[in-house]
Amino acid sequence: MEAIQEFIANILPLLRLGAIVLGAYAVLLWAASVLWAYRDIRRRTEDVSVQVLAVGIVLLLPFLGIPLHLILRPPQTLAEKYERTLEEEFLRRDLEDQLVCPECQRPIEPDFIICPHCHTQLRRHCDTCGRVIDLTWRICPYCGSSQTRGVATRAESHPVVPPVGVSKQ
């Protein structure tokens, strides 16, 4: 009987030390979970009240707060939201109609009269009012006058000029 009491007396300090170590580990794990929740919610929202609520849940409910935080937190980080909006903007730009020259297929502006690359006539001036109109229009929408000029494919008033130093043969 004395051997059992002596064994218990020797093991009791070890059990206390083990309980202290496990308790310290649990406190550190709890503190780490609060820090993780704080960092996580800061990456997911800029709303201070939501940040305080998330950290408060994890702080006041040790070990039960983390599953609640994982359920209630916003699904995307702010960086992911920003990347998604950039992707959507680029997709929207791709879907918009880009004006291209019918001859060389290079991009042109909507107010170009002549393609700066291949010198194809894209629009013309009205015979009466002088405003820029489409080549296919038979009547000017601005002044109502009938258009009698034929449709040209190359800019007749802007001939192609050879580069300086090149002689015409």
Side-chain angles (χ1 to χ4, degrees):
M1 194 61 157
E2 286 181 29
I4 295 175
Q5 288 177 348
E6 191 178 312
F7 176 74
I8 291 175
N10 287 337
I11 203 143
L12 198 56
L14 291 175
L15 289 175
R16 284 185 189 149
L17 181 64
I20 291 172
V21 168
L22 282 177
Y25 180 73
V27 168
L28 286 176
L29 193 60
W30 171 65
S33 69
V34 170
L35 180 64
W36 176 83
Y38 171 73
R39 287 182 175 172
D40 181 63
I41 199 66
R42 291 269 320 240
R43 285 189 315 219
R44 294 179 183 275
T45 184
E46 292 177 349
D47 188 3
V48 177
S49 61
V50 173
Q51 292 174 358
V52 169
L53 179 66
V55 173
I57 287 174
V58 176
L59 186 66
L60 297 176
L61 300 172
F63 307 109
L64 295 176
I66 289 293
L68 283 174
H69 172 74
L70 290 173
I71 292 169
L72 298 175
R73 72 182 183 169
Q76 293 180 333
T77 64
L78 295 173
E80 290 169 344
K81 285 181 185 178
Y82 178 70
E83 288 174 5
R84 186 179 46 139
T85 57
L86 282 179
E87 284 179 20
E88 289 172 358
E89 183 179 332
F90 283 123
L91 286 174
R92 232 180 287 123
R93 282 188 186 171
D94 287 345
L95 292 176
E96 291 176 355
D97 291 340
Q98 282 189 338
L99 295 175
V100 293
C101 173
E103 282 292 318
C104 66
Q105 300 300 315
R106 290 188 180 172
I108 58 171
E109 297 295 322
D111 57 344
F112 282 3
I113 296 174
I114 296 169
C115 176
H117 305 287
C118 67
H119 303 279
T120 300
Q121 185 172 358
L122 304 169
R123 289 167 196 78
R124 62 185 161 134
H125 291 282
C126 171
D127 295 335
T128 308
C129 68
R131 294 184 80 172
V132 177
I133 60 171
D134 194 82
L135 288 174
T136 59
W137 294 347
R138 297 183 186 267
I139 190 168
C140 176
Y142 302 107
C143 67
S145 68
S146 175
Q147 302 299 305
T148 58
R149 266 196 292 182
V151 176
T153 57
R154 290 271 178 191
E156 297 163 359
S157 61
H158 300 290
V160 178
V161 179
V164 177
V166 177
S167 62
K168 279 183 139 179
Q169 294 180 358

